[in-house]
Amino acid sequence: MLIAGTVVADSETVIPEGAVVVEGNTIAAVGEESTLRDRYPDHERRAFDIVAPGLVGGHVHSVQSLGRGIADDDALLDWLFDAVLPMEAAMDAEATRAAAELGYLECLESGTTTVVDHLSVNHAEEAFEAAIETGIRARLGKVLMDKESPDGLIEETDAALAATEALIKRYHGAADGRVRYAVTPRFAVTCTEACLRGCRELADRYDGVTIHTHASENEDEIETVEADTGKRNVLWLDEVGLTGPDVTLAHCVHTDEREREVLADTDTVVTHCPSSNMKLASGIAPVQDYLDRGITVALGNDGPPCNNTLDPFTEMRQASLLGKVDARDPTRLPAATVLEMATEGGARAAGFDRLGALREGHRADVIGLTTDLTRATPLHDPLSHLVYAAHGDDVTFAMVDGEVRYADGEHVGIDAAAVRERATRHAERVVEKAGIDTAEP
């Protein structure tokens, strides 16, 4: 297939009348369309206004999709323990499958072709099956919680680790390597030292398995961890083995100098979730400082109950604007930097090589967007448009691993209307079972 349009190949390269040639699951060529059409005359041609790399959701919660809007305007720990965790505890296998499918379809139709997904304690296999079926590229894992957790989610440590290992054996490398495993302790507040050390041992035992957890999102969380361990959050995670190039830490809003040194020295990846951090009033992550230290930063939406969307374009815009206002400096986090966070930075978080840019030999994850919009007129700079003006619903095409997954408003091979119907039905049942009050205040 030859995919033509203004090609934003990466954060530094724009080809105005360009094309991307895909053969199998790989990008065979990128360049000017006129040249590539001569070289590949028999390839099917599809044209879009802008062609870009598939974006990477560096931290999402697909199975929280049933909770969109259930806990607005609450503080983080109240939001978590009074609404989100009870909802997760109330979800059975069918509800988990519906939630994951809904989340992945929202991602694909919004231009996110890869997710780093933090699931729940129960029924994680349903999300793996949903990832395989919908065709999204995914790094995901069952959540581990072995202390300070509600009934229905708390597990015995050895049982949680054993269940994790069984899922690694079953799903790591599934779908020809498109689906991979991340060992996923929820966060230090709900995990014992034995659990956290066990997570590191599991990741080390299996080639290519990574670790994904939350860290330093909220000041109350940090105080709790310090009271329990005598250390600040990132320093505690470092002590138990949960830093390193195979670790992605979501949020990292509140870190001190020593913690930032550890993140840089260990080559740990940070995922910035600006919309969630604003909505939960967690604070502003020191993203520019992280980048200046050489720390890889990805972008994530977090979950629908704290965002309330999985639109990656919204997240890029929020990240840039929040960084500028935090520094009182309009030059901070420019469009090119933020796009790199959402693509190549995300690829690091997801643990996939040859991903996050449109280059020869890279994996064929490609999106196409329309600019036939009042909001896109005039369009002086395609890269600026992607970060500051585009929306997820501008995406008209999504390809993952060389397979078209979304085109012209339709998901390929998936009945999206049926998914939405199932998700709505299960959400009503789960929220009622969890005893969550969704009435207007």
Side-chain angles (χ1 to χ4, degrees):
M1 183 180 295
L2 186 149
I3 307 168
T6 295
V7 174
V8 179
D10 55 41
S11 61
E12 298 179 347
T13 309
V14 176
I15 307 171
E17 295 181 359
V20 178
V21 177
V22 174
E23 294 185 337
N25 64 357
T26 303
I27 295 173
V30 180
E32 294 183 356
E33 182 187 2
S34 58
T35 300
L36 295 181
R37 287 186 74 176
D38 289 341
R39 286 171 54 190
Y40 300 93
D42 298 327
H43 281 54
E44 174 192 358
R45 179 182 182 272
R46 296 202 184 191
F48 306 96
D49 295 327
I50 295 179
V51 179
L55 303 178
V56 180
H59 176 68
V60 304
H61 291 269
S62 68
V63 300
Q64 291 179 7
S65 293
L66 301 189
R68 196 189 316 266
I70 65 169
D72 290 339
D73 311 317
D74 281 344
L76 172 64
L77 295 184
D78 294 337
W79 169 90
L80 182 64
F81 285 97
D82 294 345
V84 173
L85 294 183
M87 177 194 70
E88 289 187 15
M91 292 172 64
D92 58 16
E94 290 184 351
T96 302
R97 179 63 170 268
E101 288 177 343
L102 184 70
Y104 296 152
L105 294 191
E106 183 183 356
C107 286
L108 287 168
E109 66 190 45
S110 301
T112 296
T113 55
T114 299
V115 291
V116 183
D117 195 1
H118 201 281
L119 303 176
S120 188
V121 170
N122 304 313
H123 313 298
E125 68 279 359
E126 298 296 335
F128 280 93
E129 294 294 337
I132 292 168
E133 180 183 8
T134 58
I136 200 164
R137 188 182 301 282
R139 170 78 67 173
L140 60 167
K142 161 194 160 52
V143 166
L144 294 91
M145 301 170 67
D146 68 338
K147 74 168 186 174
E148 304 297 333
S149 303
D151 291 343
L153 293 179
I154 192 166
E155 295 183 289
E156 192 273 332
T157 307
D158 290 342
L161 293 168
T164 298
E165 186 166 25
L167 287 167
I168 292 171
K169 292 178 178 178
R170 181 176 177 184
Y171 287 112
H172 182 55
D176 295 324
R178 177 170 51 80
V179 173
R180 299 182 183 179
Y181 204 93
V183 182
T184 312
R186 185 149 229 140
F187 65 154
V189 172
T190 59
C191 294
T192 64
E193 179 177 352
C195 178
L196 297 175
R197 291 189 183 277
C199 289
R200 166 47 71 193
E201 291 170 5
L202 272 180
D204 288 346
R205 197 176 303 160
Y206 293 93
D207 185 44
V209 169
T210 63
I211 295 171
H212 175 211
T213 190
H214 302 85
S216 303
E217 178 178 1
N218 175 275
E219 289 169 321
D220 290 342
E221 165 205 348
I222 292 166
E223 290 174 5
T224 299
V225 173
E226 193 162 11
D228 288 347
T229 69
K231 292 181 179 292
R232 286 182 62 86
N233 209 341
V234 171
L235 300 182
W236 173 242
L237 293 177
D238 183 56
E239 179 167 311
V240 297
L242 269 59
T243 55
D246 62 345
V247 176
T248 294
L249 299 182
H251 301 294
C252 292
V253 176
H254 302 283
T255 54
D256 65 13
E257 176 65 22
R258 178 63 189 130
E259 289 177 298
R260 297 178 197 184
E261 290 175 354
V262 166
L263 292 173
D265 290 345
T266 59
D267 200 21
T268 302
V269 180
V270 170
T271 295
H272 179 38
C273 302
S275 293
S276 171
N277 293 343
M278 285 189 282
K279 187 164 185 275
L280 291 169
S282 297
I284 304 175
V287 173
Q288 187 66 62
D289 186 60
Y290 290 151
L291 294 171
D292 290 345
R293 293 169 185 263
I295 297 168
T296 297
V297 181
L299 273 183
N301 292 83
D302 212 351
C306 63
N307 191 306
N308 298 38
T309 173
L310 296 178
D311 182 346
F313 294 92
T314 297
E315 224 56 42
M316 285 196 289
R317 176 182 168 87
Q318 300 282 49
S320 181
L321 300 187
L322 190 61
K324 295 176 191 303
V325 75
D326 180 43
R328 308 294 197 274
D329 181 351
T331 69
R332 294 295 183 97
L333 296 185
T337 298
V338 172
L339 181 64
E340 185 175 10
M341 289 162 58
T343 52
E344 295 182 87
R348 269 287 320 274
F352 286 88
D353 61 1
R354 298 180 296 110
L355 187 71
L358 301 179
R359 298 187 187 121
E360 183 177 337
H362 271 45
R363 303 172 193 274
D365 290 9
V366 187
I367 59 174
L369 295 88
T370 181
T371 59
D372 186 18
L373 305 158
T374 306
R375 174 168 35 81
T377 306
L379 203 163
H380 296 296
D381 181 346
L383 195 153
S384 170
H385 173 77
L386 289 177
V387 173
Y388 295 125
H391 294 173
D393 54 11
D394 300 349
V395 174
T396 59
F397 174 85
M399 168 183 282
V400 184
D401 227 24
E403 296 288 336
V404 177
R405 297 299 182 180
Y406 179 75
D408 302 320
E410 299 290 335
H411 290 274
V412 177
I414 301 288
D415 186 340
V419 171
R420 291 193 294 269
E421 187 279 328
R422 287 197 302 274
T424 300
R425 176 164 39 87
H426 285 299
E428 292 172 353
R429 177 175 60 82
V430 165
V431 167
E432 181 179 1
K433 181 179 177 182
I436 300 168
D437 183 8
T438 60
E440 291 288 335

